[in-house]
Amino acid sequence: MFKNTFQSGFLSILYSIGSRPLQLWDKQVANGHVTRVVDEDIQSSVLELVSANVATTYITCPADKAATLGVKLPYLVMVVKNLKRYFSFEVTILDDKGQRRRFRASNYQSATRVKDFICTMPMRLDDGWNQIQFNLAEFTRRAYGTNYVETLRVQLHANCRIRRIYFSDRLYTEEELPAEFKLYTRSANVSTAAPPPEMEDL
């Protein structure tokens, strides 16, 4: 999808304010909804994913199941609101061994598990809005001992509100971010996702 695109700085794949925020995405909904709402904390439009079953309501990018993102930027950043309900997301990457690996983070799992092609890990969210910073290169190296090449797919499951999902070439401070990437709220929390201690010696 972006394989032949020059990539540096920021590459956004979802922005809730645009006229078609899910233009690049497919959605699956069962016993819930994916809709745009006005968030009371930031007084702006956001996407809301809510479901009685985390597994059955999600958005996935690219929309075409046969396509891949081809994003080489190593940092995935998601601006999400904690709805104090079960929530998870998955990232599928390609490493330098030609293997597809999946990372699944959720707020209902207590331990990290690394299998051949999937690594599942716990995720802690603060109250209100969170900026999740995910170092894909580091996670790939620590979990599998291989090097990150590119991201193939991103999948976001209920339950959360989402403002933006983007990739970057490095971590940026709030002051360095372009204005449209900033979240104007008193209750935003920035958390850098780090591999849990269980992954340190893998």
Side-chain angles (χ1 to χ4, degrees), residues 1-2 13 24-28 58-72 76 78 89-94 100-104 134 136 148 150-157 165 167:
M1 198 170 184
F2 296 103
I13 59 173
L24 305 177
W25 299 71
D26 184 30
K27 66 177 180 179
Q28 298 293 323
Y58 61 88
I59 57 174
T60 183
C61 183
D64 181 353
K65 289 180 172 54
T68 61
L69 280 168
V71 175
K72 299 189 183 321
L76 173 66
M78 296 185 293
F89 70 88
E90 289 186 12
V91 185
T92 304
I93 64 102
L94 182 72
R100 291 178 177 229
R101 317 276 193 186
R102 266 192 307 156
F103 294 100
R104 179 189 297 149
F134 200 70
L136 295 163
Y148 167 80
E150 64 185 37
T151 296
L152 305 176
R153 178 166 295 277
V154 175
Q155 191 159 297
L156 192 73
H157 288 253
I165 300 175
F167 292 88

Side-chain angles (χ1 to χ4, degrees), residues 29-46:
V29 181
N31 301 317
H33 64 256
V34 175
T35 189
R36 193 146 52 170
V37 299
V38 174
D39 183 78
E40 60 278 5
D41 288 340
I42 61 173
Q43 293 297 305
S44 186
S45 293
V46 297

Side-chain angles (χ1 to χ4, degrees), residues 19-176:
S19 59
R20 297 175 61 199
L22 292 177
Q23 182 176 3
L24 305 177
W25 299 71
D26 184 30
K27 66 177 180 179
Q28 298 293 323
V29 181
N31 301 317
H33 64 256
V34 175
T35 189
R36 193 146 52 170
V37 299
V38 174
D39 183 78
E40 60 278 5
D41 288 340
I42 61 173
Q43 293 297 305
S44 186
S45 293
V46 297
L47 279 178
E48 182 177 85
L49 284 72
V50 169
S51 177
N53 186 337
V54 177
T56 59
T57 295
Y58 61 88
I59 57 174
T60 183
C61 183
D64 181 353
K65 289 180 172 54
T68 61
L69 280 168
V71 175
K72 299 189 183 321
L73 301 175
Y75 289 93
L76 173 66
V77 181
M78 296 185 293
V79 182
V80 300
K81 187 175 190 178
N82 181 4
L83 297 183
K84 298 182 179 178
R85 297 175 65 177
Y86 287 164
F87 162 62
S88 73
F89 70 88
E90 289 186 12
V91 185
T92 304
I93 64 102
L94 182 72
D95 67 12
D96 62 349
K97 301 293 186 188
Q99 296 290 338
R100 291 178 177 229
R101 317 276 193 186
R102 266 192 307 156
F103 294 100
R104 179 189 297 149
S106 65
N107 64 355
Y108 49 84
Q109 187 170 332
S110 58
T112 297
R113 294 182 180 86
V114 180
K115 298 181 180 177
D116 285 347
F117 302 108
I118 184 167
C119 172
T120 57
M121 66 196 82
M123 166 180 55
R124 186 186 66 82
L125 293 176
D126 293 324
D127 287 346
W129 283 94
N130 290 256
Q131 186 183 86
I132 301 171
Q133 300 172 334
F134 200 70
N135 185 337
L136 295 163
E138 182 181 17
F139 272 78
T140 303
R141 180 177 56 79
R142 294 205 179 187
Y144 295 106
T146 58
N147 295 311
Y148 167 80
V149 173
E150 64 185 37
T151 296
L152 305 176
R153 178 166 295 277
V154 175
Q155 191 159 297
L156 192 73
H157 288 253
N159 292 271
C160 70
R161 286 184 176 179
I162 181 81
R163 173 68 163 189
R164 189 187 280 277
I165 300 175
Y166 65 93
F167 292 88
S168 63
D169 55 354
R170 63 178 176 85
L171 290 182
Y172 289 81
T173 65
E174 183 73 11
E175 293 72 29
E176 292 176 302

